[in-house]
Amino acid sequence: MKFLTTNFIQCAVKGCQSSDSSFPLKYEECELVAETQEFKPEFLVHMLEKINWSALVQVARDLGNDNLPTEKPELDPIMEDDVLILKDLHNLLVETNILNGKMICNNCGHIYFIKNSIPNFLLPPHLCN
Amino acid sequence: MSRPEELAPPEIFYGDTESFKYTSSTRVQHIQAKMTLRALDLLNLSPDEPHFLLDLGCGSGLSGEILTEEGYNWVGMDISPSMLATALDRDADGDLILSDLGNGVPFRAGTFDAAISISAIQWLCNVDAVGNDPKKRLLRFFNTLYASLARGGKFVAQFYPKDQGQIDDILSAAKVSGFGGGLIIDEPDSKRNKKHYLVLSAGISDRSVNLEGAEMEVSAKKDKRKLKKLESRKSFINRKKETMRKRGRVVANDSKFTARKRRPRF
């Protein structure tokens, strides 16, 4: 699972949907791997509008990266300096994959496992509906 | 041909052998690619902007491959682990998530610009486990999907309904969740190649869906009395003859003289 996806995924349990603490999930014991992907600056800028930056910083800290700025950067793909930052972001958001690990909902405490980079969001029967 | 939906739940039906068979069949690949392109055509996304798409029931990533080719970034969801494993083997570019659509789409509000689904949502009409209520699952699915789409986000789903009842269930669940839109049927007269596309939008978008070539279906239900008045003498006689034939009566053969008026003899 790409690091970018962690900024959008939330607990699948119905009761947690309305709760603020179900996003972001807490990441534990994660094994990361880098994969080269095509660099698309326009896509990154587009996603940057959607990204919840504080959640991004929090998840990065869970995964052992404390170097993110606390404020969301405003970037333009035409500026040369910004392209460098975008490349860093690309490296972090798109090329970093979580291979194995655990995601824990802060609200209900359900643990979702990531295996072979696929998170398992199947719910046990008692948590359905 | 029997429907796979009637054989087993999706995660069991698409086991290792079936996933392999499905993915390696060039016929399936061809049909899936065609339907994905048609769905994208209906979505009518602006080609200049980047888009973040959700592929519901992505399976082994046959549709995702097309999305990647067209330059979209996507996330796929499916319930069958074997299918997802096949997708991993095929190096699908999007993120894959193992999840049951009937339990909702686990993404926060406004995540996706659009969503597609190829041959998947008819599975939601099945009861595979004790306590599963298809209507509830459909509603939960559409509700969470509506939330996870950005305002004006569009959703196109190709599906294989078993009967009119399933179409009605799906359409009404979508409507209750707040979606606007309807059903497009490609090649409606062909039993084999008929394809149903559910075309929905969450709120009003600047670019509406591409409905080129679509025709509105005129409702067939008309007043019976009016219909009878409109019917010509000849078609009336032919209709009556047909019913009699069906009942096994002996009926005069049809000819060019059928229903002609007798001229008075001079």
Side-chain angles (χ1 to χ4, degrees):
Chain A
M1 187 173 78
K2 292 189 182 75
F3 185 75
L4 179 68
T5 313
T6 63
N7 203 262
F8 296 104
I9 215 151
Q10 64 178 19
C11 183
V13 177
K14 195 176 185 185
C16 293
Q17 220 105 86
S18 49
S19 155
D20 288 339
S21 51
S22 69
F23 174 82
L25 299 166
K26 195 169 156 50
Y27 291 77
E28 272 183 13
E29 300 168 26
C30 288
E31 197 180 310
L32 302 178
V33 70
E35 263 178 38
T36 25
Q37 294 270 350
E38 194 191 338
F39 176 55
K40 293 181 191 165
E42 286 83 15
F43 173 70
L44 276 174
V45 172
H46 176 67
M47 291 316 286
L48 212 54
E49 284 169 25
K50 295 175 184 254
I51 282 174
N52 179 333
W53 193 261
S54 61
L56 190 79
V57 174
Q58 195 182 326
V59 173
R61 204 172 293 142
D62 281 351
L63 297 176
N65 181 344
D66 290 327
N67 304 332
L68 288 179
T70 45
E71 290 291 311
K72 188 194 271 197
E74 300 255 332
L75 298 170
D76 194 334
I78 305 163
M79 306 285 279
E80 245 177 63
D81 294 352
D82 287 0
V83 169
L84 287 176
I85 306 175
L86 277 174
K87 278 210 169 128
D88 281 350
L89 269 176
H90 172 72
N91 187 288
L92 174 76
L93 294 174
V94 185
E95 296 192 325
T96 311
N97 273 285
I98 303 177
L99 199 60
N100 293 306
K102 276 188 198 171
M103 302 182 283
I104 303 161
C105 172
N106 290 319
N107 191 39
C108 66
H110 187 71
I111 304 175
Y112 299 95
F113 289 94
I114 308 176
K115 251 188 177 177
N116 290 329
S117 87
I118 298 180
N120 182 350
F121 271 86
L122 295 177
L123 293 173
H126 68 280
L127 287 176
C128 294
N129 19 221
Chain B
M1 210 174 81
S2 66
R3 293 171 56 83
E5 289 83 3
E6 284 164 2
L7 299 177
E11 65 274 30
I12 292 166
F13 179 79
Y14 290 114
D16 288 336
T17 44
E18 194 62 33
S19 303
F20 177 74
K21 263 194 333 202
Y22 189 88
T23 314
S24 55
S25 154
T26 43
R27 183 176 155 268
V28 171
Q29 284 175 3
H30 180 70
I31 297 176
Q32 291 275 318
K34 216 169 109 187
M35 293 191 300
T36 312
L37 287 171
R38 173 71 175 130
L40 285 174
D41 181 42
L42 285 167
L43 274 181
N44 193 23
L45 298 170
S46 93
D48 313 324
E49 289 167 37
H51 293 280
F52 194 41
L53 262 58
L54 176 63
D55 185 356
L56 297 151
C58 61
S60 48
L62 290 175
S63 45
E65 215 165 65
I66 307 284
L67 294 181
T68 307
E69 270 174 32
E70 299 284 315
Y72 298 111
N73 289 65
W74 55 278
V75 173
M77 283 171 63
D78 205 280
I79 195 173
S80 157
S82 306
M83 279 295 219
L84 291 177
T86 318
L88 274 187
D89 290 344
R90 292 162 53 88
D91 283 328
D93 270 334
D95 260 349
L96 305 165
I97 291 166
L98 180 65
S99 159
D100 182 0
L101 294 182
N103 285 336
V105 180
F107 289 93
R108 72 180 167 90
T111 300
F112 297 101
D113 302 303
I116 68 163
S117 161
I118 305 295
S119 321
I121 57 172
Q122 74 273 9
W123 288 98
L124 286 174
C125 301
N126 286 16
V127 183
D128 294 328
V130 181
N132 265 5
D133 178 358
K135 284 197 176 147
K136 251 189 203 164
R137 283 162 57 81
L138 275 170
L139 204 58
R140 172 113 181 94
F141 165 67
F142 280 115
N143 272 331
T144 48
L145 178 65
Y146 187 92
S148 69
L149 285 176
R151 282 316 92 203
K154 286 167 279 185
F155 171 52
V156 172
Q158 183 276 328
F159 65 111
Y160 293 111
K162 190 174 87 179
D163 47 28
Q164 188 62 35
Q166 291 198 345
I167 297 180
D168 293 344
D169 284 352
I170 289 174
L171 280 175
S172 69
K175 203 172 170 189
V176 168
S177 312
F179 279 108
L183 191 70
I184 287 212
I185 306 178
D186 277 5
E187 303 192 50
D189 300 327
S190 158
K191 209 173 175 190
R192 257 180 92 89
N193 298 328
K194 191 173 179 177
K195 295 281 183 291
H196 294 74
Y197 292 88
L198 184 67
V199 184
L200 302 173
S201 67
I204 299 158
S205 112
D206 310 333
R207 285 172 73 91
S208 60
V209 289
N210 174 17
L211 293 179
E212 210 172 287
E215 279 171 32
M216 283 296 256
E217 194 179 290
V218 186
S219 67
K221 271 187 191 169
K222 272 186 186 165
D223 196 358
K224 266 191 179 172
R225 258 179 259 157
K226 269 186 192 168
L227 267 182
K228 269 191 180 163
K229 263 187 194 169
L230 284 173
E231 194 176 35
S232 73
R233 207 180 131 75
K234 190 170 180 181
S235 61
F236 170 79
I237 291 177
N238 280 332
R239 186 163 61 83
K240 288 290 175 193
K241 283 174 92 172
E242 195 52 51
T243 25
M244 286 305 151
R245 238 174 247 134
K246 269 183 202 156
R247 287 183 193 163
R249 302 276 188 83
V250 182
V251 180
N253 291 334
D254 288 337
S255 75
K256 66 173 180 178
F257 301 108
T258 306
R260 275 202 196 169
K261 221 174 179 179
R262 271 179 217 276
R263 296 288 160 205
R265 291 201 187 113
F266 303 108

